[in-house]
Amino acid sequence: MSATPFEKPQGTVEVPHIEVDEETKEIIKEILSQMKNPVEILFFTSNTCGNRDTNWCVPTEELLDLLAELAPPGKLILKKIKYEENSDAFTKYNVEPQRVPVIYLLDGAIKYLGAPLGEEVRAFIETIVRISVGETKLRPRTKKGLEALVNSGGGKRVEVMTVVTPSCPYCPYAVLMANMFAYDSKGKVVSITVEAYEESDIADMYQVTAVPTVVLKREDQEVGNVEFIGVPPESDLLKKVLDYSGVNLQ
């Protein structure tokens, strides 16, 4: 499947404040108008984010504020958690302070390590809408497989980590698929989106040379395995998830 070569940026990456014109705001507002049920976003940040070479917390917070403003009243609930004010919440949700900005949806079944900016905005907004309406648009066989995982009792939780960059045009498709696996599996699949520039140590760990790179890890494993480079076919991702969980789909 399609992938984009990953090259580390040279020097400091400047992250300006986000700029969204009125036409784009209207498009986003129209998309979010489909929301039916409230969706809660947990946004983890810290004062030390501004001490880094690149402060991704500022544009991330601006994006989330904008989405909360454009969503129908009461449908997008944004909770901001700052490490200096509520370190207990970081411990509770197992968030590493040095990784902020971090975003949780579905109480952490869907996680973003780094800013969902650039191409990733599309998948992020679509994820919010699909959670709100309760429809993932996954195939019936995929839904059946994930239902088997939910009902298996002994099936292990599986992390699907998607390593992305803001400029990758294919990455949103991989991320959205993994996010929907998390939703339909009721958290038995945990979808983690890792922004490679911000979380370069993770990209280095898995020797990422192209994005999206999809890593799978069972909950009792310390380190995962690279299973796909490029957007995985839905049926292949399901098979790998079930293999890792130990569930056999008859």
Side-chain angles (χ1 to χ4, degrees):
M1 298 295 289
S2 299
T4 300
F6 171 63
E7 296 181 0
K8 292 185 179 181
Q10 301 299 316
T12 301
V13 178
E14 294 296 331
V15 182
H17 297 277
I18 64 167
E19 295 182 3
V20 183
D21 59 39
E22 292 302 318
E23 181 180 357
T24 303
K25 286 182 182 179
E26 286 302 315
I27 293 172
I28 295 173
K29 187 175 183 179
E30 178 65 24
I31 295 171
L32 292 173
S33 70
Q34 303 171 57
M35 295 180 70
K36 294 181 179 179
N37 299 307
V39 175
E40 182 179 84
I41 295 177
L42 302 180
F43 171 54
F44 297 87
T45 184
S46 75
N47 292 335
T48 58
C49 203
N51 298 333
R52 304 175 187 174
D53 289 341
T54 305
N55 185 355
W56 293 87
C57 293
V58 170
T60 303
E61 185 169 6
E62 290 175 345
L63 170 65
L64 296 179
D65 284 340
L66 177 64
L67 297 182
E69 175 189 330
L70 296 177
K75 297 302 184 184
L76 191 55
I77 302 166
L78 175 59
K79 294 186 177 180
K80 301 179 182 181
I81 304 170
K82 183 172 287 189
Y83 180 70
E84 290 78 10
E85 299 172 359
N86 193 354
S87 61
D88 289 345
F90 276 69
T91 302
K92 174 185 176 181
Y93 288 101
N94 196 28
V95 176
E96 300 174 74
Q98 72 274 17
R99 299 230 179 258
V100 294
V102 173
I103 297 170
Y104 276 21
L105 293 163
L106 300 178
D107 215 32
I110 296 173
K111 306 177 183 182
Y112 284 79
L113 307 186
L117 298 175
E119 295 287 345
E120 282 305 318
V121 172
R122 293 182 291 130
F124 185 68
I125 295 174
E126 183 64 21
T127 292
I128 291 170
V129 171
R130 291 191 187 186
I131 290 173
S132 180
V133 301
E135 178 50 64
T136 61
K137 301 183 181 180
L138 294 175
R139 296 171 182 170
R141 179 173 176 79
T142 304
K143 288 178 172 289
K144 180 181 177 181
L146 295 174
E147 183 180 359
L149 175 55
V150 172
N151 297 329
S152 64
K156 298 287 187 180
R157 183 175 283 107
V158 178
E159 291 183 359
V160 178
M161 177 187 292
T162 310
V163 183
V164 306
T165 61
S167 60
C168 167
Y170 310 109
C171 293
Y173 299 100
V175 168
L176 183 59
M177 188 191 308
N179 288 351
M180 296 304 97
F181 269 57
Y183 180 87
D184 267 349
S185 70
K186 304 184 188 305
K188 291 288 282 187
V189 176
V190 177
S191 174
I192 306 174
T193 302
V194 175
E195 207 291 301
Y197 296 147
E198 298 172 66
E199 310 295 345
S200 58
D201 61 316
I202 296 177
D204 290 342
M205 178 189 302
Y206 292 107
Q207 301 180 330
V208 172
T209 58
V211 288
T213 289
V214 181
V215 177
L216 268 70
K217 181 169 78 71
R218 200 171 54 242
E219 61 182 334
D220 57 357
Q221 292 178 307
E222 289 294 326
V223 179
N225 303 299
V226 174
E227 294 292 353
F228 303 97
I229 297 176
V231 183
E234 188 175 309
S235 58
D236 290 355
L237 181 59
L238 174 64
K239 183 179 185 306
K240 286 292 184 181
V241 163
L242 294 178
D243 286 346
Y244 273 75
S245 71
V247 172
N248 293 317
L249 183 60
Q250 301 298 327

